[in-house]
Amino acid sequence: QVQLVESGGGLVQAGGSLRLSCAGSIRTFSRYFMGWFRQAPGKEREFVARIRWSGGSTYYAESVKGRFTISRDNAKNTVYLQMNSLKPEDTAVYLCVADVDGKGWDYWGQGTQVTVSS
């Protein structure tokens, strides 16, 4: 059974930084994209960033471009989300996702809470 386990969330002041990690049990060669979504209370789930496992090309939502960086560590089967210059509006549950065939997000983690205080 595929599992995605997020960690690294927490409470931080505006302007601060956090790094989220997502460890997955998916076989490395099976990964096409991995990424992050977020969901704030009362709002729809929102795409944040994704990375192509082979080659490492990245894509970001406009709201986080220039502040967040997604990366992966092949040896550790882990994807990261470095979040800098955090804003209160970044407060949400952040969910790790995986696409194994390039056709959509197949697997979702349980999420990790990020709270940014003003």
Side-chain angles (χ1 to χ4, degrees), residues 1 5 10 30 36 45-46 50 57-58 61 73 85 100 104 112:
Q1 185 176 356
V5 180
S30 296
W36 293 91
R45 192 169 289 179
E46 174 188 24
R50 65 153 168 82
S57 62
T58 58
D73 185 325
S85 302
V100 299
T112 185

Side-chain angles (χ1 to χ4, degrees), residues 13-84:
Q13 289 189 331
S17 298
L18 283 174
R19 188 177 81 156
L20 306 183
S21 300
C22 173
S25 63
I26 304 170
R27 293 173 297 179
T28 301
F29 66 82
S30 296
R31 304 181 193 204
Y32 200 88
F33 289 109
M34 290 195 72
W36 293 91
F37 278 69
R38 65 186 182 186
Q39 188 161 22
K43 294 187 177 181
E44 291 189 357
R45 192 169 289 179
E46 174 188 24
F47 167 81
V48 175
R50 65 153 168 82
I51 185 166
R52 185 165 181 166
W53 202 259
S54 175
S57 62
T58 58
Y59 182 78
Y60 297 92
E62 284 297 323
S63 58
V64 306
K65 196 175 291 185
R67 300 188 298 122
F68 291 11
T69 302
I70 188 170
S71 62
R72 84 257 193 259
D73 185 325
N74 290 7
K76 295 182 179 180
N77 288 341
T78 299
V79 64
Y80 303 99
L81 186 68
Q82 178 66 45
M83 305 185 295
N84 299 329

